[in-house]
Amino acid sequence: MPTILAVESSCDETSVAIVTNRNVIANVVASQIKLHEQYGGVVPELASRRHLEMINPCIDQAMTESGLSWSDIDAIASTVTPGLVGSLIVGVTAAKTLAMVHNKPFLGIHHLEGHIYASYLGEPSLKPPFLCLLVSGGHTSLIHVIKSGVYKTIGSTRDDAAGEAFDKVARLLNLSYPGGPIIDKLAKEGNPHAFKLPEGKVSLPNNQGYHPYDSSFSGLKTAMLRLIQGLQKENPDSLPVADLCASFQYTVAQALTKRAIRACLDLNLDTIAVGGGVAANSALRNTLQAEAQNHNLQVFFPPLKYCTDNGAMIACAGEEHFINKMRSPLSLGVSSRMNLENIEQLYSVN
Ligand code: KG4
Ligand code: ZN
């Protein structure tokens, strides 16, 4: 089995990992949360500068932790899209330089494919076809994983991503960044039925009902804003933060679960793999697990450390492409967006 070293730097985590046979040998993650926290979100210019500072120490640490030498590494992979361009460039330049210096093949990886592959790290027996519910800070998608490297996105968000909604609602409640983990924690003390909130259905044209798989979270965010303002007017000194967090989280979990189950049944699939930072959410885990059981479906969530951005998931995707004889040219650039359906553009077959 090949051994792949991968670099991830698409947003606010610098990560370098080494994976072989879907087994993580090293996974070093330098999080920038502390840096961006004071601004309530990621500041792209600061992110790329911090990646530049951290990339070499992360590479050194991953190599040291693995106990391997460069001759043991078969290929170098790196996230090339989608993401913050200035941040992506840092990781990709480091990865290409390593590929050149050590004379290894280079593989450009789509970040969302990485999130899909995070599920294989926890469940090596997982095999396509399956449905992936991908819920991160930048994306909310239902992806039909048809076979290795072949994807069809059948549902997405029309506005805010699920993680983005957690982050924005946390800001409304004066909670820290990122919002997901703190809302998840506070929600444990609250009543999920304290407030009824809109689930964010997306209407189809000509009164044809609602889109079965698409979601919208901006209406929910606005409803939270109005609710918080109303409650503050009534009682300026005590906001029922736990109940607000629990009700918001419940609504998001319900919206995502309904769409994922419906899509899985409609596509005649029996497995849902969840990926992205919001896959760490406890309400989503419980609701989806229970609903899937009711419909005789299997659900896999990656281990918590592989839900948020990490190099191991990129290396895992890189390993599969390497085995399938895909290679990326060193002239491959980065891009802020690319549809998952187009990833063959990243490779030529050797
Ligand atoms: O996948 P990720 O690390 O970065 C992107 O590719 O976007 O996801 C980060 C997102 C943030 O919006 C964060 O608030 C959310 O994942 N998140 C959570 C939880 N942990 C992280 N959302 C809900 N519940 C959590 N426990
Ligand atoms: Zn991500």
Side-chain angles (χ1 to χ4, degrees):
M1 278 295 174
T3 302
I4 312 293
L5 179 141
V7 177
E8 156 62 39
S9 69
S10 65
C11 191
D12 58 350
E13 262 101 24
T14 319
S15 182
V16 177
I18 300 172
V19 165
T20 184
N21 202 13
R22 295 184 175 173
N23 224 334
V24 182
I25 299 175
N27 184 49
V28 177
V29 182
S31 169
Q32 300 183 1
I33 284 178
K34 284 264 168 303
L35 174 68
H36 301 289
E37 202 172 31
Q38 55 191 309
Y39 305 101
V42 178
V43 182
E45 181 60 30
L46 295 181
S48 37
R49 287 190 215 173
R50 183 57 65 85
H51 284 305
L52 203 51
E53 285 165 23
M54 295 312 296
I55 190 71
N56 284 336
C58 286
I59 294 167
D60 286 347
Q61 196 181 330
M63 286 304 288
T64 306
E65 277 180 20
S66 72
L68 299 176
S69 64
W70 286 103
S71 59
D72 299 316
I73 306 289
D74 294 292
I76 313 285
S78 175
T79 306
V80 290
T81 187
L84 302 170
V85 166
S87 292
L88 286 166
I89 284 175
V90 176
V92 172
T93 306
K96 284 184 190 172
T97 307
L98 291 174
M100 242 185 291
V101 168
H102 297 290
N103 202 17
K104 311 282 180 192
F106 169 67
L107 291 151
I109 304 293
H110 192 293
H111 182 77
L112 298 193
E113 186 177 48
H115 276 302
I116 295 171
Y117 271 77
S119 286
Y120 293 109
L121 294 173
E123 194 53 55
S125 67
L126 176 66
K127 276 196 182 69
F130 60 86
L131 181 79
C132 177
L133 168 63
L134 208 159
V135 273
S136 69
H139 295 87
T140 297
S141 307
L142 282 167
I143 299 160
H144 183 185
V145 180
I146 298 165
K147 56 180 185 175
S148 165
V150 182
Y151 307 102
K152 189 165 170 32
T153 304
I154 61 158
S156 50
T157 174
R158 295 293 177 100
D159 36 62
D160 293 347
E164 196 179 354
F166 272 92
D167 296 337
K168 288 181 175 173
V169 165
R171 218 176 308 163
L172 295 178
L173 290 167
N174 273 325
L175 302 172
S176 56
Y177 173 84
I182 180 82
I183 289 182
D184 199 352
K185 187 167 166 232
L186 293 170
K188 293 198 165 72
E189 312 293 319
N191 172 8
H193 305 291
F195 304 105
K196 182 140 181 57
L197 293 160
E199 207 178 85
K201 291 180 180 165
V202 176
S203 301
L204 291 169
N206 307 323
N207 288 330
Q208 286 181 308
Y210 297 103
H211 193 290
Y213 317 128
D214 279 358
S215 46
S216 160
F217 292 112
S218 75
L220 172 58
K221 178 193 64 194
T222 309
M224 284 296 287
L225 172 67
R226 301 241 162 86
L227 179 60
I228 292 166
Q229 286 170 337
L231 289 165
Q232 269 166 340
K233 236 185 224 164
E234 269 172 36
N235 190 347
D237 298 326
S238 86
L239 203 58
V241 176
D243 284 350
L244 285 163
C245 287
S247 302
F248 165 75
Q249 181 170 282
Y250 170 83
T251 310
V252 174
Q254 286 291 325
L256 295 173
T257 296
K258 280 184 197 166
R259 285 159 183 75
I261 299 281
R262 167 92 190 261
C264 195
L265 296 173
D266 288 353
L267 291 169
N268 264 324
L269 300 169
D270 61 6
T271 304
I272 302 172
V274 191
V278 185
N281 186 262
S282 59
L284 178 63
R285 285 181 173 240
N286 293 339
T287 314
L288 187 55
Q289 199 73 261
E291 242 352 85
Q293 215 163 359
N294 288 343
H295 290 88
N296 271 330
L297 306 172
Q298 311 187 74
V299 188
F300 296 122
F301 288 91
L304 287 179
K305 61 183 168 191
Y306 302 133
C307 288
T308 45
D309 291 347
N310 64 88
M313 66 186 195
I314 304 299
C316 189
E319 181 177 33
E320 179 108 10
H321 287 301
F322 182 82
I323 290 169
N324 291 336
K325 308 221 176 312
M326 302 293 178
R327 303 290 183 264
S328 301
L330 284 176
S331 56
L332 182 69
V334 304
S335 59
S336 60
R337 328 170 58 121
M338 176 188 262
N339 286 342
L340 201 44
E341 281 75 0
N342 297 336
I343 58 163
E344 80 278 355
Q345 293 171 6
L346 303 176
Y347 310 107
S348 55
V349 179
N350 245 20

